[in-house]
């Protein structure tokens, strides 16, 4: 199994690949940008929960490509800091979106963030194809390893 830090770097790489494909299309693709912004927002939301802070975030914010690029870098660094300072079996206590007090392991929170991103990256690839543009060549883990970015 990849280390949490390697998975965080992969998540950043894969999200960046999706954003680069949107930018490369050189067309107004608000649906695709909205999906990247949603990935960013939900990742920020979970990071705040791990930190024990309450961030009021719109789940579907409107952000530009340059703003998203900066947000993705900040999130990578934020999650790397959290993963270096939080045990994988640490309990993350938070109030859920339905107002209930909940608790999950840090490892489960990371898994949620990673799978949520993968789900929406698939949607981004579909939007790009449906609009006649090329999606990223790959946003898969093994190809990322081959690029030596992880």
């Amino acid at each position: 199994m990849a280390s949490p830090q390697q998975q965080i770097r992969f998540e950043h790489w894969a999200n960046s690949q999706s954003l680069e494909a949107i930018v490369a299309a050189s067309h107004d693709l608000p649906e695709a940008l909205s999906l990247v912004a949603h990935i960013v927002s939900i990742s920020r939301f979970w990071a705040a929960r791990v930190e024990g802070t309450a961030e009021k975030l719109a789940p579907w914010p409107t952000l530009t490509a340059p703003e998203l690029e900066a947000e993705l870098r900040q999130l990578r660094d934020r999650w790397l800091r959290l993963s270096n300072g939080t045990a994988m079996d640490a309990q993350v206590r938070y109030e859920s979106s339905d107002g209930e007090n909940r608790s999950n392991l840090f490892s489960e929170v990371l898994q949620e963030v990673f799978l949520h991103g993968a789900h929406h990256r698939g949607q981004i690839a579909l939007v790009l194809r449906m609009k006649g543009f090329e999606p990223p060549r790959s946003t898969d883990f093994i190809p990322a390893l081959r690029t030596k970015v992880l």
Side-chain angles (χ1 to χ4, degrees):
M1 190 73 160
S3 72
Q5 293 80 14
Q6 190 176 36
Q7 290 175 324
I8 291 162
R9 286 190 297 274
F10 165 72
E11 181 76 2
H12 171 75
W13 174 85
N15 288 333
S16 295
Q17 293 295 301
S18 292
L19 182 58
E20 287 174 18
I22 295 166
V23 171
S26 299
H27 284 76
D28 187 29
L29 295 170
E31 310 97 323
L33 280 177
S34 175
L35 289 163
V36 178
H38 178 67
I39 291 169
V40 163
S41 181
I42 298 307
S43 184
R44 285 183 57 199
F45 185 73
W46 278 106
R49 284 178 167 176
V50 172
E51 293 165 339
T53 61
E55 276 191 50
K56 293 292 181 189
L57 305 167
W60 295 94
T62 301
L63 299 169
T64 65
E67 289 170 329
L68 288 167
E69 187 178 340
E71 287 281 346
L72 288 172
R73 279 193 309 273
Q74 291 169 9
L75 275 168
R76 177 199 57 209
D77 296 344
R78 187 176 183 183
W79 280 110
L80 285 171
R81 277 192 307 277
L82 287 169
S83 70
N84 287 326
T86 309
M88 293 302 285
D89 62 352
Q91 288 290 324
V92 176
R93 298 182 199 309
Y94 59 93
E95 184 178 307
S96 66
S97 56
D98 60 7
E100 296 291 322
N101 288 324
R102 305 276 185 197
S103 178
N104 287 92
L105 298 176
F106 179 63
S107 61
E108 295 168 338
V109 170
L110 284 176
Q111 187 78 352
E112 172 69 16
V113 170
F114 300 150
L115 292 175
H116 180 261
H119 168 73
H120 289 299
R121 286 190 300 274
Q123 290 179 321
I124 292 164
L126 181 61
V127 166
L128 287 166
R129 283 191 195 279
M130 290 177 70
K131 300 283 185 177
F133 301 107
E134 283 297 312
R137 183 164 180 241
S138 178
T139 56
D140 292 338
F141 186 74
I142 297 296
L145 286 174
R146 291 181 185 138
T147 67
K148 308 276 192 245
V149 297
L150 306 182

